[in-house]
Amino acid sequence: MTLRIVLVEDDDMLRERVLRPRLADYGFEVAGLASAAELERLMAATVPDIVVLDVGLPDASGYDVARGLRARHPRMGIVMLTARRETPDRVRGLNEGADAYLSKPVEIELLAATLHSLARRLHGEQAPAASGWRLLDNGWSLAGPGGEVALTKSERRLLQCLARAEGEAVGRDRLIAAVADNVHDFDPHRLDTLVYRLRRKVADACGQALPLAAVHGEGYVLTSLG
Ligand code: CA
């Protein structure tokens, strides 16, 4: 099932050049709107699953919009974005019915993880069990013993390829073929950079090293991914 996600953000550059393309890299298709009035018009025709809402909109306060959305649609996912970092604002956002409250500049990985977790709630799925490593959300999230992390398109392809090998080493060529959109344009060093960044991000988010190791002269191996 495809999620209908709407992003209401009046900063065109941030919305169209940063948030939508970067969320697309994390597997989310997001419609972009620039005002509360545009959201009202859209909602007259269709109800999104999740609304990502800037607090500072030109024609309304995001808090008021959130309160109105929550009153009408108790199950809708609401994520608020704001440049304001003060605690009272954070509490207020949650009081108005938001499920999550993220500060600008938005960490895309955190936003993606929040969207995955809301999507699971909307689909009535249980939170992942707290042991072992597993791919969730059709491969777009990795859950580890101490937490979970949203994956980009390349990271997802890499981990799916390694997971299919079920603990056997996978050669560099095969990994590159899995990861690259065009193998001939792909600098082989990018594979190592991708692995390096993925390991670091997983260690940060999950509090434990991903069991992904280099096999000298061959490629990489991923052990114990369920
Ligand atoms: Ca704004």
Side-chain angles (χ1 to χ4, degrees), residues 9-11 54 56-57 104:
E9 165 61 68
D10 58 307
D11 181 335
D54 180 30
L57 293 171
K104 288 178 173 177

